[in-house]
Amino acid sequence: MLRKKVYLDPPKILVLGFGLIIVIGAFLLTLPASTANGQGLPVLNALFTATSATCVTGLVVVDTGTTFTMFGQITILCMIQVGGLGFMTFATFFAFLVGKRISLKERILLQESLNNLSMEGIVRLTRRILIFTAVIELVGAVLLSIRFSFDMPIGKAIYYGIFHSISNFNNAGFDLMGEFHSLTSYVDDPTVTLTVSALIILGGIGFIVMNELFEYRVSKRLSLHTKIVLMTSTVLVVVGTVGIFLLEYSNSLTLKPLSFLGKILGSLFQSVTARTAGANTLNIADLTQSSLLLIVLLMFVGASPGSTGGGIKTTTFTTLIGAVWSQIRGKEDVIFYRQRIEYETIYKALTVTFSGLFLVMLMTLILTISEHGQDFLAIVFEVTSAFATVGLSMGLTPELSPVGKALIIFTMFAGRVGPLTIAYAVTIRRKPDAFRYPKGKITIG
């Protein structure tokens, strides 16, 4: 009797691939060698940490710097690197090492994994991604190691420099500073603040954009995608920086005690890190409610397609803004830089935004029940941070109940893989409609 062949399309493979990495990572973190107390993490905490690392989120139920041994920390770092670049990118890297030819199916998976519009040149792009990553993380590690060497032994400084460079380029936000302090002791330090901000921004703009900027010296042209990503990213960073600066200027718990330069650096870093990084130089719980709401909005938008970050993505946000503006002006088409956005793209942007908003609202509703007594804003902040794979928290993460941890685990996974990808993965193989129904009219507004 012949067995029916199981068809695994790219969404299913991506979901299963990320799931497998999380399971392996969680198992390693339960080993006695992973924790300083020699007992390993409890299963649920290990699963939470592995999901947070693989989905490059940064939410933690235990302190990374004091809980884990070097073996545990390196395990987390490996999950961050694989999760940030995508397991297909790493599979391709090993194929390069052994001289294996990349098959058509693997190229399709790479295209899906990198969210690239075309399969043309996908292997060359993957090779460049690996080179970009190695160079950027190396430069970041050197700069941070030099700065940390003034505060700690040189060996420890180098290790910290490497860890924090990889963690922040991949927009993960894990840190080794201890006691959940993140980078708060460097709030007014230009070297650490600007280096880490640069790592976060480079990791968040997306490898497609990075590759186009690299080729610009020859091509002298940028695609519409790259123009929108650069424009939107710049506007969001500036708006976030100015907003946090004004809202926190007189807050004695955050910016008020700092010098003018320190205020600017603190505002800039919190604006940048809200774009899915997770490290922080100001205590998030001390921010005003206005700043927290602003950060929630920035987190929900997130980084850009094909990057190490999450959120609904900058291009999705800008497409919807363009659609609304076109409707207000009575225009039929959405135009950016003298180019028309296709209706299919607008529908997809609307679907991504609605599915993300629905997930955040649903998880928030359930958490208000499971985490009864917790501050509502803290729950909204936590859920949005998990969905957008940011990692910022008002301090709720370590206090989550087992049910709360399980919900945040699912939210982090859905945010990294994408709600639509999960939906495609669990549905039957999609087929085009055989016919179309007649048009109907309804009133809107």
Side-chain angles (χ1 to χ4, degrees), residues 156-223:
K156 185 178 180 181
I158 293 173
Y159 175 59
Y160 272 42
I162 294 172
F163 188 99
H164 290 91
S165 179
I166 293 175
S167 176
N168 286 289
F169 175 71
N170 288 283
N171 281 211
F174 279 80
D175 70 272
L176 302 177
M177 297 304 174
E179 303 301 326
F180 302 101
H181 286 161
S182 192
L183 300 175
T184 52
S185 57
Y186 295 97
V187 60
D188 54 357
D189 187 294
T191 303
V192 174
T193 298
L194 296 179
T195 299
V196 174
S197 294
L199 288 167
I200 294 169
I201 291 172
L202 289 172
I205 61 174
F207 294 110
I208 301 168
V209 174
M210 207 179 298
N211 186 55
E212 281 198 23
L213 292 175
F214 178 76
E215 292 182 340
Y216 182 75
R217 70 193 193 285
V218 176
S219 65
K220 300 300 180 184
R221 62 178 295 276
L222 296 174
S223 67

Side-chain angles (χ1 to χ4, degrees), residues 86-400:
F87 70 92
M88 276 307 303
T89 304
F90 268 87
T92 306
F93 169 66
F94 288 116
F96 289 153
L97 291 181
V98 299
K100 180 180 177 295
R101 184 177 177 82
I102 309 301
S103 67
L104 177 61
K105 184 176 181 179
E106 289 166 340
R107 291 169 192 259
I108 295 173
L109 280 170
L110 277 172
Q111 180 189 358
E112 183 85 12
S113 176
L114 297 174
N115 206 4
N116 201 26
L117 295 174
S118 170
M119 197 166 61
E120 182 182 355
I122 195 69
V123 175
R124 182 175 68 253
L125 175 61
T126 305
R127 187 181 291 110
R128 282 187 178 174
I129 287 173
L130 294 168
I131 295 172
F132 291 155
T133 300
V135 171
I136 293 171
E137 290 180 349
L138 178 61
V139 173
V142 169
L143 294 174
L144 291 176
S145 297
I146 293 173
R147 176 59 188 88
F148 290 153
S149 66
F150 290 95
D151 302 330
M152 59 189 73
I154 185 65
K156 185 178 180 181
I158 293 173
Y159 175 59
Y160 272 42
I162 294 172
F163 188 99
H164 290 91
S165 179
I166 293 175
S167 176
N168 286 289
F169 175 71
N170 288 283
N171 281 211
F174 279 80
D175 70 272
L176 302 177
M177 297 304 174
E179 303 301 326
F180 302 101
H181 286 161
S182 192
L183 300 175
T184 52
S185 57
Y186 295 97
V187 60
D188 54 357
D189 187 294
T191 303
V192 174
T193 298
L194 296 179
T195 299
V196 174
S197 294
L199 288 167
I200 294 169
I201 291 172
L202 289 172
I205 61 174
F207 294 110
I208 301 168
V209 174
M210 207 179 298
N211 186 55
E212 281 198 23
L213 292 175
F214 178 76
E215 292 182 340
Y216 182 75
R217 70 193 193 285
V218 176
S219 65
K220 300 300 180 184
R221 62 178 295 276
L222 296 174
S223 67
L224 177 62
H225 169 84
T226 295
K227 290 177 182 178
I228 289 178
V229 165
L230 295 177
M231 175 196 69
T232 309
S233 298
T234 302
V235 169
L236 289 176
V237 169
V238 171
V239 169
T241 301
V242 173
I244 292 172
F245 181 86
L246 296 176
L247 294 170
E248 297 297 322
Y249 190 87
S250 58
N251 186 346
S252 59
L253 298 177
T254 55
L255 294 185
K256 187 176 181 179
L258 302 175
S259 64
F260 186 76
L261 176 61
K263 289 181 173 67
I264 294 176
L265 291 174
S267 303
L268 171 66
F269 193 89
Q270 262 52 237
S271 175
V272 170
T273 196
R275 306 291 309 293
T276 83
N280 57 285
T281 56
L282 296 175
N283 188 352
I284 300 300
D286 291 335
L287 296 173
T288 62
Q289 290 190 343
S290 303
S291 295
L292 292 171
L293 180 58
L294 175 60
I295 290 175
V296 165
L297 296 175
L298 291 173
M299 289 193 298
F300 187 74
V301 174
S304 301
S307 72
T308 59
I312 63 170
K313 303 297 190 296
T314 52
T315 48
T316 303
F317 174 73
T318 302
T319 298
L320 290 181
I321 294 296
V324 171
W325 181 240
S326 294
Q327 283 291 310
I328 291 174
R329 297 171 61 211
K331 303 291 184 180
E332 184 176 347
D333 295 330
V334 178
I335 307 295
F336 288 110
Y337 298 101
R338 298 184 177 181
Q339 295 185 61
R340 177 172 56 86
I341 305 299
E342 296 180 352
Y343 287 127
E344 182 183 352
T345 303
I346 299 172
Y347 291 147
K348 186 174 181 180
L350 182 61
T351 304
V352 168
T353 303
F354 179 79
S355 59
L357 187 61
F358 176 78
L359 178 63
V360 169
M361 293 176 64
L362 178 62
M363 291 298 110
T364 299
L365 174 62
I366 300 174
L367 279 171
T368 55
I369 300 171
S370 67
E371 313 304 306
H372 181 70
Q374 295 288 353
D375 181 66
F376 177 73
L377 182 57
I379 293 175
V380 173
F381 196 96
E382 190 87 5
V383 172
T384 308
S385 180
F387 163 74
T389 68
V390 179
L392 294 176
S393 176
M394 294 174 62
L396 177 61
T397 314
E399 300 178 10
L400 289 171

